[in-house]
Amino acid sequence: MRPFGLRTRLVLAFLLVAAVGCGTTAALTYRAARNAILEQAQNTAVSAFREQVDSVSVDLPLKAESLRGDLLRIARQGKPRPWRVYAEYGNVSVSSGDRPRSTVITPELRARAKDSAHGSFQRVVKNGKPYLAIAVPTVFRAHTPATAVHRTGVVLYAVMELDEEEANVEAMVLAARDGALPALAIALIPALLAARSVLRPVRELRRAADSMGRGRLDTRIHAKGSDELADLAHAFNESAAALERSVVELRNAEARARRFASDVSHELRTPLAGMLAVTEVLDEDADGLDTDTARAVRLISAETGKLAVLVEDLMEISRFDARAAELHVDEVDAADSIRKTLQHRHWTDPALVRAELPVGVRARLDPRRFDLVVANLVGNALKHGAPPVTVRMWAEADWLVTEVADQGPGIAEAALPHVFDRFFKADPARARSAGSGLGLAITLENIRLHGGTVTAANQPDGGAVFTVRIPR
């Protein structure tokens, strides 16, 4: 699984949702349970304390010793657990314990107890511990036809620790936390299943795209369901089918074009052979003809030669297109092969061609095709560059490197990427030059057939340079 892949993000998103859900549920449960626990203890204590206060008879003036006994009794009968009970009347304070006053009882609670005949209560946290403080004023009833309730001015206070309730709440928090981790671990299983269900069609789509990239245009995805991923699979299948139809049509059209060029070239060879024979005879007798007729004969002869070269080049390029071209390799002396190529074309004048060929460099080549490569590059340099043309050859590890450089103006930067294109001519003004425009394209195909490369560039001091690299 990739660190930040789609599967990881889906699982993390699923777990995040589960964690947020668990956290929210735990928080709401904790809040409701805490309030329920504290309110139950609070209501029990307040109700019990009011009953106890109602049972106390207070005589004024206040007698501390007799009241202390009542406070001790009330403290022992506290619910849900014993209280510490205090009584205050003006500046007089009495308690069930050692201290007459409690720091838990706040001025706010005292003020509320004086204002209300039913008393009040308050939860207080003191030094990190929770307490419940209850205040209930004492009353007496006058024996009159309309019984009236009068406050005596004495207020009784009960203070109860809420540490047990707080411990119960903390235990619930720990239980919720300890339960959340297994819940997240369990949630990982449906997260993985959900991620798998989402990623399965994505993986199928990736595999199908890779398969189509390798040329298998009949690749399709098994689409099932009616969700968005199924729609994507249907769209992919429709696009693949349309692409397959288009590619088949293009391949058929390309095959027809190749077959047409090959057939035309084959059909032209026979009449061209006859025309070349006739033009050779006419060339021999041209000197005996009048000037205009001689010029016409020589023009026909030259154009017939160009047509013959074009037909041969078309036949050669059609063999490459049909993948019918084959290598017939042999181990040869590379320098000797280049030297024979120059000699057969009569390029032996150092003023035209200079050869820098080390001795003893051997390579496995197709001699005929390597001869065409060197001949095309040197002929191109002589035709479109300027002499002297330099032919260099050397061995570089497992490669045979051949370089052909001229002293001409070089190749225009805009034309460099296209010099090996078919029928490309860098100078449109040379549209009727002697070349067919296929020489460099045939050179490239021959080098590719050897598993090598060829590059065209300009030298810093001027002139074009072609570099051929062929495995030895």
Side-chain angles (χ1 to χ4, degrees), residues 140-150:
F140 67 90
R141 290 175 175 80
H143 297 288
T144 60
T147 303
V149 177
H150 303 279

Side-chain angles (χ1 to χ4, degrees), residues 27 74 80 82 89 94 106 111 127 130 212 224-225 300 321 330 362:
I74 295 173
Y89 179 73
V94 183
T106 63
N127 298 327
M212 291 189 64
K224 57 182 178 180
I300 291 174
D321 290 342
D330 191 11
R362 302 189 67 81

Side-chain angles (χ1 to χ4, degrees), residues 108-237:
E108 180 184 0
L109 181 60
R110 287 188 174 97
R112 292 208 307 247
K114 291 178 181 179
D115 294 337
S116 173
H118 300 286
S120 183
F121 60 88
Q122 185 179 30
R123 287 201 292 262
V124 181
V125 177
K126 188 72 174 181
N127 298 327
K129 294 183 66 176
Y131 296 90
L132 174 64
I134 309 170
V136 177
T138 60
V139 297
F140 67 90
R141 290 175 175 80
H143 297 288
T144 60
T147 303
V149 177
H150 303 279
R151 280 181 288 181
T152 63
V154 179
V155 180
L156 298 186
Y157 297 92
V159 176
M160 182 181 72
E161 295 182 0
L162 296 175
D163 50 354
E164 291 187 13
E165 286 74 13
E166 198 67 27
N168 292 335
V169 172
E170 291 180 359
M172 291 183 59
V173 172
L174 292 176
R177 184 194 66 186
D178 295 340
L181 295 178
L184 288 178
I186 294 173
L188 182 62
I189 297 175
L192 292 173
L193 294 176
R196 181 182 179 185
S197 65
V198 172
L199 291 178
R200 186 187 298 112
V202 175
R203 291 196 186 99
E204 291 181 1
L205 181 62
R206 178 180 59 81
R207 287 193 292 267
D210 291 341
S211 179
M212 291 189 64
R214 292 191 295 269
R216 297 189 57 183
L217 300 180
D218 58 343
T219 303
R220 299 293 184 271
I221 299 176
H222 178 61
K224 57 182 178 180
S226 58
D227 56 4
E228 289 80 359
L229 292 174
D231 294 340
L232 177 61
H234 287 298
F236 177 87
N237 291 338

